[in-house]
Every structure is written in C-alpha cells, then in structure tokens.
Amino acid sequence: MTTAVENASVTLSARPGFEGANIRTWIGFKHFAYLVEQGVLQWFRERGHGPGQLYHQHGVGLSIRDCSLLLPAVLDVDDTATVVVTPAANGRFAVRMGVRRDADVTVCRARVRVALVREADVPQGAPLPAELAGLVEEPAAGEPGAPAGADPADELRAAGAGFVWQWRVPYFYCQYSQRMQHSGYVRLLEEVVDRYLADRGVSVGRMLRERGWIPVVSRARVEVLGDAHLDEPVWVTFTVTDVLKDVTYDARMDCHVVRDGRLVRVATASILHGYAVSRGPEAGRLATLDGDTVAALTGGRR
C-alpha cells in the first residue's frame, strides 16, 4: 500500500530481502540501501514517471547518483519496513525507514540524489515534464587523476590505498545496457570489505567462529562520480582511515577506471564498521576492538 500527493511524501511498505539475513536474522546494510532505492522509485512511479516510462518515452535513464545511510537500529528478516520518501530540491530526497515493535523505531535515515541521464541508444522521445527537466544530466566522465602507468594498482598503492582489487563490470551490475548502477557499487562495497578483512587475517568467518563477532554498519555513503561501463576493468581500493574509541573503524572505497592513459575515479564510498556479539548473553552489543584486531585492520598505522 502506498499513498502520495503531488510534491509530497510517498510511503512504501515492504519487507527486506531474505538474501540479506546472512548471520542470525539481522539484515545487512546493502538491503537497507535497496529499500531506500525502492522508496525513491515509488515516488517517481506514483507521479507517472516510472523508470521504464522515462526510458521509453523520454530517452532518459533514472539513476541514483548519491545515497547516504544512517542506521541507528537493526532490521530483522521478518520486519515490515515503512519507507517514507520526502522530496527536496534538485533531485534530492530525504528518506526515513521505520518498523513497529513495542513502539515505532527508526532503523534508517537516508539522503538520496537522483539524475535523469541521456541514453545514447534510445530515441530522445517526448520532452520531459517541466518539473523533471532540471534533473537531466549527460553521461558522467568521472574525476581524472594521475597517469595510470604500467600497472594501475601500483599507482593506487603508491597514492596510499590500503588494498587494491581489480574487477570487471558484469552485465548484472549494470543498468540501461551499458553502465554500472548505484546498487552495483553498494554490492562492491560489501565485497571489498569482506576481501580486505580476509587479506588482513580477520575474515568474517574467522571472527564469527573464534569470537562470535559479526560486522555491523552504522553509516555508509556511496556516490557515483562517473560512468563505468559493461566489461570495463575497475580498480577498487579500500583503506581504513580511523579507529574510533576502539569500537568502530572508518574506511573508504574508491573505484577507478583507466581512460586515455589516466586513472579516472568513477565512484567513492565511506563506511563506519564495527562488530556486534552474535551469541550468548551479550548478543547484539558492540564488541570492543583489542590491540591485535586494530593492528590487523590498520596495518599497524594507528
């Protein structure tokens, strides 16, 4: 059930994907982002501007360019989330996600920016309604950086990246036949964290088996700066930037492609991670990071 009036909020009621319940029945941050995305799409659909209609009738692709999440409470696999999407100026939205327990609980607050991107392989079609015309953007080029050199990974490590992973854009991370979509970068952020932890000897599986700790996210942001294309190589970097009060660690992901011999940054992300105890009487509480764990996370650079 949804409700809306013109230029006002939309409310979407939905459950998180079962896929997101990886440890116990708590839902991972990626599926919060998916629900936020669904809420924003519903706002457009209820105004007659769903992504399919925008593409076929107007020749533009609705794309999320920036999404930040603040996650003050957990979401369970059986929760029904109420997603309230409120528009602001210039394609920006505020999103609040709540669940009903003994009282109404806010589980997510988000800020989202969307754009309507001109699609090269679709006829331009009818003009956009006036209220949407200001959201149109050309395909984004990204942020040019240093010369790529023989091995882009070496250049990124020399620039301070803590971990570098080369990856290829598959079609199932793309939208509109050609470019990486925002949710693909959300999935990359989840995977690069997993790869980084395993590389540092503190894999999710090891920490779960030996300590009963599971990773938890209290905030995350993913911003698309440029377009990475189907089958294009992407260099994904991940760097822990700070440890806060021996409870959480702040980290950054950047995604680069090589164009005309230079590294071009096409996406950036930040994430605040910690560990929660997953079993016993302390289940659900944040774990305190000991010295060995901090050294593994930071490479001793604290």
Side-chain angles (χ1 to χ4, degrees), residues 6-270:
E6 193 65 28
N7 299 321
S9 299
V10 161
T11 298
L12 173 72
S13 180
R15 292 187 186 274
F18 187 36
E19 173 198 292
N22 305 123
I23 299 173
R24 293 177 61 106
T25 60
W26 296 317
I27 294 295
F29 84 98
K30 180 177 65 178
H31 284 265
F32 285 84
Y34 290 174
L35 287 170
V36 168
E37 179 182 73
Q38 284 299 315
V40 171
L41 292 178
Q42 188 66 25
W43 189 92
F44 281 88
R45 286 175 174 139
E46 293 204 4
R47 281 149 183 78
H49 307 311
Q53 291 168 302
L54 289 168
Y55 182 83
H56 292 294
Q57 295 179 11
H58 304 289
V60 295
L62 193 160
S63 297
I64 292 180
R65 288 307 204 186
D66 192 3
C67 179
S68 60
L69 306 171
L70 182 65
L71 308 176
V74 299
L75 184 63
D76 190 81
V77 67
D78 288 331
D79 281 333
T80 297
T82 300
V83 185
V84 181
V85 181
T86 303
N90 304 316
R92 289 173 167 80
F93 296 84
V95 182
R96 177 195 174 275
M97 187 187 309
V99 298
R100 181 71 183 175
R101 294 185 180 134
D102 292 334
D104 290 330
V105 177
T106 298
V107 297
C108 175
R109 293 190 182 276
R111 299 285 180 181
V112 182
R113 185 179 74 84
V114 304
L116 303 179
V117 181
R118 292 289 183 196
E119 300 297 337
D121 58 349
V122 181
Q124 180 146 343
L128 281 163
E131 65 268 23
L132 298 182
L135 305 185
V136 175
E137 295 181 1
E138 298 301 323
E143 296 181 349
D151 186 350
D154 289 341
E155 299 295 329
L156 292 166
R157 291 189 189 97
F163 178 78
V164 183
W165 164 41
Q166 186 180 347
W167 180 80
R168 178 189 62 85
V169 179
Y171 81 91
F172 45 86
Y173 278 57
C174 292
Q175 60 181 181
Y176 308 115
S177 307
Q178 57 182 314
R179 68 175 182 275
M180 183 96 160
Q181 61 181 295
H182 184 275
S183 65
Y185 290 107
V186 175
R187 294 163 72 180
L188 268 188
L189 179 58
E190 181 180 59
E191 184 166 357
V192 77
V193 170
D194 181 74
R195 288 175 174 266
Y196 179 86
L197 295 176
D199 183 72
R200 294 303 172 97
V202 286
S203 71
V204 173
R206 178 185 175 187
M207 300 300 273
L208 180 61
R209 289 190 302 271
E210 296 181 3
R211 302 194 183 196
W213 288 7
I214 60 169
V216 294
V217 176
S218 54
R219 61 170 165 79
R221 179 183 181 185
V222 176
E223 183 178 9
V224 180
L225 305 171
D227 293 325
H229 302 117
L230 176 61
D231 285 339
E232 189 169 24
V234 178
W235 283 264
V236 185
T237 68
F238 189 80
T239 305
V240 171
T241 57
D242 200 5
V243 176
L244 307 175
K245 299 182 179 180
D246 292 326
V247 174
T248 57
Y249 64 93
D250 222 342
R252 186 184 71 250
M253 176 186 81
D254 288 299
C255 298
H256 291 80
V257 299
V258 175
R259 304 238 172 92
D260 298 324
R262 302 190 74 85
L263 285 163
V264 175
R265 190 167 66 147
V266 292
T268 187
S270 61

